[in-house]
Amino acid sequence: MNEDHFSSHPQDEKEREKLPPILTSSASRGTDRATKSHFTFSSFISTINQKKEAASSRNLASHLVKQNGKSVRELPPICPDVRQKQRLSIETLPPEMKAPIPPEPVIPIRTKTVKEFQEDMEKAKTSGDWTSVHDFYLTTFDSFLEVNAAFKKDANAPFNTIEDSGINTKFLNAVYDSILSTPPDTQKAVLKGIINSLLREWKGARTKDDLRAYFTLVQNPQYTSTSTYVIFAHLLRQIATLAEADHHFLVHWFKKLSQRRFKQLVDRLLQFISLRLFPAKSEELPPMGKCTWWNPSATKVLALLNAANSISNPPIIPFTDFYNLTLDHIDIMEEYNTWHSYGNSHRFSFCQFPFILSIAAKKTITQRDSEQQMISIARQSLVDKVSRRQRPDMTLLFLNIKVRRMHLVSDSLDELTRKRADLKKKLKVTFVGEAGLDMGGLTKEWFLLLIRQIFHADYGMFAYQMDSQCHWFSSLKCDNYSEFRLVGTLMGLAVYNSITLDIRFPPCCYKKLLSPPIVPCDQSTPVGIAAVSLDDLQLVMPELAHGLSELLAYEGNVEEDFCSTFQVFQEEFGILKSYNLKPGGDRIPVTNQNRKEYVQLYVDFLLNKSMYKQFAAFYYGFHSVCASNALMLLRPEEVEILVCGCPELDMHALQKVTQYEGYTKTDPTIRYFWDVVLGFPLELQKKLLHFTTGSDRVPVGGMVDLNFKIAKHEVSTDWLPISHTCFNQLCLPVYKTKKELKQKLTIAISNAEGFGME
């Protein structure tokens, strides 16, 4: 097996799709910075190389390629999300994908208990004699067999199940919690034992005891030190190249870790990747050219943990804990272009594992991808004009929207329909009959007014759910769904033009918006149909979800007591209409045996089928603007943040980054201003943000991205403050008292629309 690349077949390379299943990856590309080796066990690499060369001379390398080539190139669906919903089951794997199971070797019998180990540690700390502890660690980590002998609950039991790793977790945790407090020679002995184990285990098929050893060794806290990274890297590489079925076992075993241990392991892997990219000292790690596989291997193991987190309900840790903020400082567009260009080839890219990219990195990718599309579309418009020997017009470079305030929705719909070919140009808005050059403020106001009008209850397109405080699509049938397409287009334009909107959709809306993330070529393919559950309904219609939960938990006779069938009713224009949840549903009673099916079909009806045409129009509108492979990198939660921004305000953070023009931060008026604003309730703070920036949400990058500015307004103090939303600027007269400032500011921000905003 080659040092820098996982094995692959040339004929398989040609068959790979241009864009990868997001989470698979093969060999690595050098993203690490070159450094010099300074490691106690530096001979480890050369020993590994010698062993592999010997294996090659015995013609074993080709055998390994044939045996493990598939599992190396195509890792399992290790991050079930909007792109990969199906769960991998060991029972459903075809025989050729199942890892061969060699006979289990005989494991030595070890009888030390947690109590005995802790007593040995206490004696060693008191007496200074570490012989017993040293011998225990030396023996335990000498081989995979000894690891199993020490930590396996029952040496003779197979434990060939995903539900139980067979590891005595309490004992393992005690041993690892104490390891860093042992003398250096003991810690060194453990590392030497792991080296010997890895050298011994450089082979093909694995037993479940091998998997238990990997599962145990990867939790070693010694890997927090860069001096152990060479060993850690080779351990990660061996885990990354395991068969798909073996990964399946590890995912479920990782799922059983405590939250603290799980988080420690995730943090350790993230730190490993960060320090390989940007080592504190160049001499701490080997040269980059010899270890280009380090970060790919670590990222693939991290993907197993991400998969474990994804299939846990609730997740063990927030998905944001997998973000590696160090990647915000690399050339992320190079990573994106590599993934986009080479797909599932031998070129590694972090974009193949999007869970590791922060929302800021994904916003950068989305924004720059949008800019590149804007430039390309604008250039093509100019070329077409010149080719027809017509005089170029700079308006060709923009999507120019002209609307009347009194006919906002109809004019916007007409303009966007007529200029559908220009949707990927830079947006410029003009209100007919009003002077003003759109430098961003008019565009923001257009979005805000249009969204507010469309989502008004009188308009009938969306129903406001009081319990969940969000909007949901009206299921009322109509002849034309173009206005739903308009809303989708507006959301797409907002993301495309980096504008945040105050839209309150439930999380499942964004899940549906990414189902699928790329518009299918076949127009008959259903879109916007997501796998939904009672948890999703809880966030839309909590009262109904609670009632269905009560039905599932009911201990009596469901059929006799509820007298329900697989038929539901909805009121449409004053008429009660019935819908069968399945063929002949009106004749199928709901019973204790089929109530789960009833609840699932009912949830699917409410969130998918009852408003399919409305959401499909919305889906196509959004993707008519945002169609991009960058969407494949996003989780539904991240799409929501890109569309709406973050609703959490931190006015203290805003105070720190505010710029001043004509004022200084120590001027009395400015001190009054911040005393008043920091004392405002949240609702008034949002109104201030809306008054000044055109949105009450915070951009992905936080308050610093607002470029908030307070300028002195040399007018009478009888005047109210005004704002330039296009510049995020508040113009503040020099008020003499805090009371006067609070009064005038409150009036201004509470009566902002169409007045005081420029």
Side-chain angles (χ1 to χ4, degrees):
M1 188 176 289
N2 185 274
E3 180 72 11
D4 295 326
H5 300 287
F6 297 126
S7 58
S8 60
H9 294 297
Q11 59 269 30
D12 290 342
E13 296 285 344
K14 298 177 181 178
E15 297 173 359
R16 290 171 178 157
E17 299 177 298
K18 184 176 180 182
L19 287 178
I22 273 287
L23 300 168
T24 61
S25 172
S26 293
S28 57
R29 173 178 53 83
T31 56
D32 311 83
R33 288 164 47 180
T35 55
K36 296 181 179 179
S37 175
H38 183 69
F39 176 64
T40 309
F41 303 103
S42 57
S43 60
F44 184 41
I45 290 181
S46 59
T47 309
I48 287 280
N49 290 335
Q50 291 170 9
K51 187 172 183 67
K52 288 187 292 179
E53 288 170 5
S56 176
S57 66
R58 295 191 301 270
N59 201 27
L60 287 177
S62 60
H63 173 69
L64 289 178
V65 168
K66 293 177 182 177
Q67 190 174 42
N68 286 336
K70 179 176 178 58
S71 62
V72 170
R73 291 195 307 275
E74 299 178 7
L75 291 181
I78 43 186
C79 181
D81 59 10
V82 70
R83 294 169 298 279
Q84 294 177 331
K85 290 296 177 190
Q86 59 272 37
R87 299 282 190 259
L88 179 65
S89 171
I90 189 66
E91 288 78 15
T92 60
L93 284 174
E96 63 272 14
M97 291 182 66
K98 293 185 179 180
I101 304 178
E104 302 278 350
V106 179
I107 298 176
I109 303 298
R110 301 283 181 255
T111 59
K112 187 178 287 289
T113 64
V114 176
K115 184 178 180 181
E116 291 171 345
F117 172 77
Q118 291 173 338
E119 289 174 352
D120 288 346
M121 285 294 299
E122 289 301 320
K123 289 178 183 177
K125 290 177 181 178
T126 304
S127 65
D129 183 4
W130 290 86
T131 304
S132 176
V133 172
H134 179 88
D135 290 345
F136 168 78
Y137 276 108
L138 181 65
T139 302
T140 298
F141 292 94
D142 182 61
S143 68
F144 279 18
L145 275 180
E146 289 292 349
V147 168
N148 278 276
F151 300 117
K152 196 174 178 181
K153 295 176 186 176
D154 184 346
N156 298 316
F159 290 107
N160 291 336
T161 170
I162 61 174
E163 300 303 327
D164 187 0
S165 65
I167 294 296
N168 184 338
T169 304
K170 187 176 180 181
F171 188 26
L172 176 65
N173 292 341
V175 170
Y176 276 153
D177 286 342
S178 301
I179 194 170
L180 296 181
S181 61
T182 60
D185 62 329
T186 300
Q187 296 186 42
K188 189 179 294 186
V190 170
L191 294 173
K192 286 183 177 178
I194 295 174
I195 290 175
N196 292 331
S197 299
L198 295 177
L199 288 171
R200 225 176 271 124
E201 297 302 324
W202 192 264
K203 60 182 182 182
R206 305 290 179 181
T207 67
K208 292 300 175 288
D209 285 333
D210 289 338
L211 297 187
R212 264 181 282 280
Y214 284 127
F215 175 70
T216 300
L217 295 178
V218 79
Q219 298 179 55
N220 189 339
Q222 289 180 287
Y223 301 133
T224 54
S225 170
T226 54
S227 64
T228 64
Y229 274 12
V230 172
I231 301 174
F232 194 27
H234 281 272
L235 171 62
L236 296 176
R237 186 178 193 179
Q238 289 193 20
I239 295 175
T241 55
L242 289 172
E244 184 171 322
D246 292 337
H247 281 157
H248 181 61
F249 273 85
L250 288 176
V251 165
H252 284 271
W253 292 351
F254 284 138
K255 179 184 171 184
K256 304 292 183 181
L257 291 176
S258 69
Q259 183 185 45
R260 184 170 73 90
R261 305 281 175 181
F262 189 89
K263 181 70 163 60
Q264 287 174 343
L265 183 51
V266 170
D267 289 344
R268 205 172 292 139
L269 286 163
L270 291 174
Q271 176 183 290
F272 176 88
I273 293 170
S274 297
L275 291 178
R276 176 61 276 185
L277 287 171
F278 302 104
K281 297 178 181 178
S282 59
E283 67 274 7
E284 282 185 333
L285 300 175
M288 178 271 293
K290 293 185 177 181
C291 51
T292 55
W293 47 269
W294 278 30
N295 276 349
S297 298
T299 306
K300 289 171 190 174
V301 175
L302 192 63
L304 299 176
L305 289 161
N306 180 65
N309 195 58
S310 298
I311 63 176
S312 300
N313 189 19
I316 305 169
I317 59 177
F319 70 89
T320 53
D321 284 355
F322 284 90
Y323 287 167
N324 191 326
L325 301 183
T326 303
L327 302 182
D328 294 353
H329 304 286
I330 66 174
D331 188 347
I332 198 65
M333 289 310 295
E334 181 184 352
E335 296 291 323
Y336 176 71
N337 292 331
T338 296
W339 170 68
H340 188 274
S341 302
Y342 293 93
N344 191 27
S345 69
H346 66 282
R347 297 290 295 273
F348 169 80
S349 168
F350 284 110
C351 289
Q352 293 165 296
F353 304 85
F355 64 85
I356 200 174
L357 301 178
S358 72
I359 183 63
K362 291 171 184 173
K363 183 191 176 185
T364 299
I365 291 173
T366 305
Q367 194 168 352
R368 292 186 184 175
D369 189 58
S370 298
E371 290 170 356
Q372 290 171 3
Q373 291 187 49
M374 287 180 184
I375 293 171
S376 177
I377 296 293
R379 182 186 293 120
Q380 188 59 46
S381 296
L382 287 176
V383 170
D384 291 344
K385 198 82 170 176
V386 172
S387 65
R388 293 194 297 267
R389 297 187 178 182
Q390 296 175 345
R391 187 173 182 177
D393 185 352
M394 292 305 293
T395 59
L396 290 173
L397 302 178
F398 301 97
L399 168 59
N400 296 289
I401 302 294
K402 295 183 180 181
V403 294
R404 298 166 293 175
R405 285 186 183 270
M406 298 302 295
H407 304 83
L408 194 62
V409 175
S410 59
D411 283 1
S412 298
L413 182 58
D414 290 343
E415 285 281 271
L416 292 175
T417 301
R418 189 163 52 88
K419 299 177 178 178
R420 188 173 296 176
D422 296 334
L423 290 178
K424 292 198 172 187
K425 294 180 181 178
K426 182 70 175 175
L427 179 61
K428 293 286 184 183
V429 174
T430 302
F431 286 97
V432 176
E434 299 181 21
L437 182 63
D438 185 12
M439 299 297 290
L442 294 178
T443 295
K444 290 180 183 178
E445 188 178 9
W446 175 69
F447 273 111
L448 288 166
L449 298 180
L450 193 54
I451 291 296
R452 190 176 304 165
Q453 188 168 331
I454 287 175
F455 281 82
H456 195 279
D458 294 341
Y459 216 72
M461 291 178 61
F462 299 93
Y464 186 70
Q465 308 294 324
M466 293 296 296
D467 292 342
S468 58
Q469 297 185 341
C470 68
H471 288 94
W472 191 241
F473 293 76
S474 170
S475 59
L476 298 178
K477 305 298 183 289
C478 59
D479 296 329
N480 190 345
Y481 297 96
S482 59
E483 290 181 344
F484 287 98
R485 186 179 181 109
L486 169 63
V487 180
T489 303
L490 286 175
M491 276 184 51
L493 286 171
V495 173
Y496 200 66
N497 290 272
S498 300
I499 294 171
T500 55
L501 299 178
D502 188 11
I503 294 180
R504 290 178 174 84
F505 281 132
C508 66
C509 174
Y510 300 97
K511 186 192 298 186
K512 288 164 64 66
L513 203 56
L514 292 176
S515 301
I518 301 298
V519 178
C521 298
D522 185 356
Q523 292 297 312
S524 64
T525 303
V527 296
I529 300 293
V532 289
S533 67
L534 201 54
D535 292 336
D536 293 306
L537 186 65
Q538 176 71 33
L539 298 175
V540 184
M541 306 169 189
E543 188 174 343
L544 177 57
H546 177 72
L548 293 175
S549 297
E550 291 290 315
L551 172 64
L552 292 175
Y554 188 67
E555 296 181 356
N557 189 310
V558 171
E559 182 177 2
E560 293 181 359
D561 297 344
F562 285 86
C563 300
S564 296
T565 64
F566 277 69
Q567 185 181 54
V568 295
F569 299 88
Q570 282 191 338
E571 185 177 339
E572 298 179 11
F573 302 109
I575 301 174
L576 198 63
K577 291 193 174 183
S578 62
Y579 297 91
N580 286 344
L581 297 179
K582 60 190 297 188
D586 56 326
R587 299 186 302 275
I588 303 174
V590 178
T591 66
N592 293 64
Q593 289 72 35
N594 64 17
R595 57 184 169 180
K596 286 185 179 180
E597 180 190 10
Y598 169 79
V599 169
Q600 183 55 45
L601 289 174
Y602 195 6
V603 171
D604 184 62
F605 173 79
L606 291 171
L607 301 184
N608 281 325
K609 294 179 180 176
S610 66
M611 29 69 75
Y612 174 76
K613 291 183 178 179
Q614 292 88 326
F615 196 90
F618 174 78
Y619 173 95
Y620 282 117
F622 179 82
H623 287 272
S624 67
V625 185
C626 284
S628 167
N629 290 317
L631 284 180
M632 297 177 69
L633 305 177
L634 297 171
R635 295 173 58 98
E637 302 92 332
E638 294 167 334
V639 176
E640 181 179 9
I641 293 174
L642 287 179
V643 171
C644 306
C646 179
E648 298 177 4
L649 304 186
D650 184 352
M651 286 300 175
H652 290 282
L654 182 62
Q655 181 183 12
K656 292 178 181 178
V657 299
T658 297
Q659 304 170 34
Y660 301 98
E661 187 177 292
Y663 281 119
T664 66
K665 62 182 179 181
T666 57
D667 287 340
T669 303
I670 298 301
R671 293 204 304 269
Y672 297 154
F673 173 82
W674 287 114
D675 286 346
V676 168
V677 169
L678 294 176
F680 270 162
L682 179 61
E683 192 59 33
L684 282 180
Q685 289 180 344
K686 286 189 172 185
K687 286 185 175 181
L688 171 64
L689 204 61
H690 169 234
F691 176 74
T692 312
T693 69
S695 172
D696 65 358
R697 299 294 185 100
V698 181
V700 172
M703 289 294 190
V704 68
D705 279 2
L706 280 177
N707 295 318
F708 189 80
K709 180 185 288 187
I710 300 178
K712 181 183 285 188
H713 198 195
E714 301 284 2
V715 295
S716 168
T717 54
D718 293 334
W719 281 48
L720 297 176
I722 64 172
S723 66
H724 301 289
T725 53
C726 53
F727 301 116
N728 294 342
Q729 184 180 71
L730 176 67
C731 298
L732 195 65
V734 187
Y735 298 115
K736 302 299 182 184
T737 66
K738 185 192 297 186
K739 181 179 179 181
E740 183 182 25
L741 186 147
K742 182 176 182 179
Q743 180 188 24
K744 297 293 175 59
L745 182 62
T746 303
I747 293 172
I749 65 178
S750 301
N751 302 273
E753 184 180 316
F755 178 80
M757 297 172 65
E758 300 179 8

